[in-house]
């Protein structure tokens, strides 16, 4: 299926419509201690970045693969080409960061808040996200293939051409978001709430909405594509 668009509506086998309630995603509980300023010495593979405040740091092309970050804050940092594959982020906040080609493949994010970020080509394929809040901002070309998202909330953000192919989504909420050309091919969903999506444009995988909750308005918009996905032809009856 390509170019399937549904309008948002606040309202959950197959995609459920309003009437069945999806469990809310658990939000992160981040309480940062007093932090030490980052000294600008650069990231290190397998390094420890505990209790640091990264403020307006330019981490372009830095290598922090398999590093561990606990109780850290990243404010207005540049993450262009930053390599953070298999890194671990626990109890961290990202505020106003931006990056092109940021690599978080197979990383682990737990109890993390991301606010007003702007990313292009963000790589989180194979990553694990648990109790993560992504609020505001815009992500173009998100690669979340085969990622595991559990208790993740997207709120007031724009996702353009996000690829969730083969991912597992459990208790994931999209609230006041724009999803343009999103790919759900091969996705496994459980208690995924799409009812409050402002713009829902599904480029692939509409038949994988089993386990999602949608609004009645979205159901009407998606009905022709859903029928085509299961092989149902819709034609007017012949009279006479």
């Amino acid at each position: 299926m390509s170019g399937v668009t549904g309008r948002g509506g606040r309202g959950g086998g197959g995609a459920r419509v309003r009437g069945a309630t999806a469990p809310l995603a658990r939000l992160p509980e981040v309480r940062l201690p007093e932090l030490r300023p980052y000294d600008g010495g650069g990231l290190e593979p397998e390094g420890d970045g505990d209790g640091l405040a990264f403020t307006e740091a330019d981490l372009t092309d830095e290598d922090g693969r398999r590093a561990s970050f606990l109780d850290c804050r990243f404010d207005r940092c540049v993450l262009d080409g930053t390599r953070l594959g298999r890194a671990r982020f626990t109890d961290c906040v990202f505020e106003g960061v931006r990056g092109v080609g940021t690599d978080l493949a197979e990383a682990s994010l737990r109890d993390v808040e991301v606010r007003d970020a702007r990313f292009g080509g963000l790589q989180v394929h194979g990553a694990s996200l648990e109790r993560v809040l992504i609020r505001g901002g815009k992500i173009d070309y998100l690669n979340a293939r085969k990622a595991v998202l559990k208790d993740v909330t997207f709120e007031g953000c724009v996702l353009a051409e996000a690829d969730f192919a083969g991912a597992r989504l459990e208790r994931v909420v999209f609230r006041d978001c724009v999803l343009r050309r999103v790919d759900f091919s091969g996705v496994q969903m459980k208690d995924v709430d799409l009812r409050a999506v402002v713009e829902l444009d599904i480029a692939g995988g509409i038949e994988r909405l089993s386990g999602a909750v949608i609004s009645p308005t979205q159901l009407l918009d998606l009905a022709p594509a859903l029928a085509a996905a299961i092989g149902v032809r819709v034609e007017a009856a012949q009279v006479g």
Side-chain angles (χ1 to χ4, degrees):
M1 269 320 127
S2 177
V4 182
T5 303
R7 291 166 291 171
R10 295 183 181 276
R16 292 174 289 164
V17 297
R18 179 164 33 196
T21 303
L24 295 175
R26 293 177 297 168
L27 294 172
E29 298 181 0
V30 182
R31 297 181 178 87
L32 294 177
E34 184 174 349
L35 304 178
R36 294 176 290 112
Y38 167 63
D39 62 9
L43 303 180
E44 296 181 1
E46 303 184 10
D48 290 322
D50 297 354
L52 291 176
F54 296 80
T55 303
E56 298 184 345
D58 186 349
L59 302 176
T60 297
D61 294 327
E62 293 281 353
D63 188 351
R65 287 175 291 183
R66 300 179 301 281
S68 175
F69 299 91
L70 173 65
D71 293 330
C72 289
R73 185 177 182 93
F74 298 79
D75 279 317
R76 304 179 303 282
C77 295
V78 179
L79 303 175
D80 291 344
T82 308
R83 289 163 287 174
L84 295 163
R86 298 190 178 182
R88 297 183 304 279
F89 296 86
T90 307
D91 294 310
C92 292
V93 174
F94 294 81
E95 181 98 34
V97 300
R98 65 185 190 276
V100 176
T102 309
D103 185 3
L104 286 160
E106 299 184 38
S108 173
L109 286 74
R110 183 167 182 171
D111 288 310
V112 170
E113 296 182 12
V114 182
R115 305 172 188 156
D116 298 320
R118 295 189 66 90
F119 286 107
L122 177 63
Q123 303 295 315
V124 294
H125 54 87
S128 174
L129 285 70
E130 183 172 359
R131 291 195 301 271
V132 173
L133 170 64
I134 300 173
R135 174 176 288 160
K138 184 179 181 183
I139 304 176
D140 295 316
Y141 306 106
L142 170 69
N143 181 358
R145 296 174 71 91
K146 297 186 177 180
V148 176
L149 285 69
K150 186 174 182 179
D151 290 307
V152 175
T153 299
F154 295 88
E155 184 175 284
C157 59
V158 176
L159 301 180
E161 301 200 39
D163 186 355
F164 291 98
R168 289 196 290 121
L169 280 61
E170 180 175 352
R171 290 194 302 275
V172 175
V173 176
F174 296 89
R175 183 180 300 119
D176 298 326
C177 294
V178 172
L179 304 184
R180 295 186 182 132
R181 307 295 297 169
V182 61
D183 190 350
F184 288 135
S185 299
V187 166
Q188 299 178 49
M189 293 187 180
K190 181 178 180 182
D191 297 322
V192 174
D193 195 341
L194 296 166
R195 291 173 294 179
V197 171
V198 177
E199 179 184 331
L200 179 59
D201 179 8
I202 301 176
I206 191 171
E207 73 282 358
R208 305 297 298 191
L209 290 180
S210 176
V213 188
I214 61 176
S215 71
T217 300
Q218 290 168 331
L219 177 61
L220 291 175
D221 289 336
L222 300 176
L226 286 168
I230 62 175
V232 174
R233 291 163 50 195
V234 181
E235 298 179 358
Q238 295 183 349
V239 179

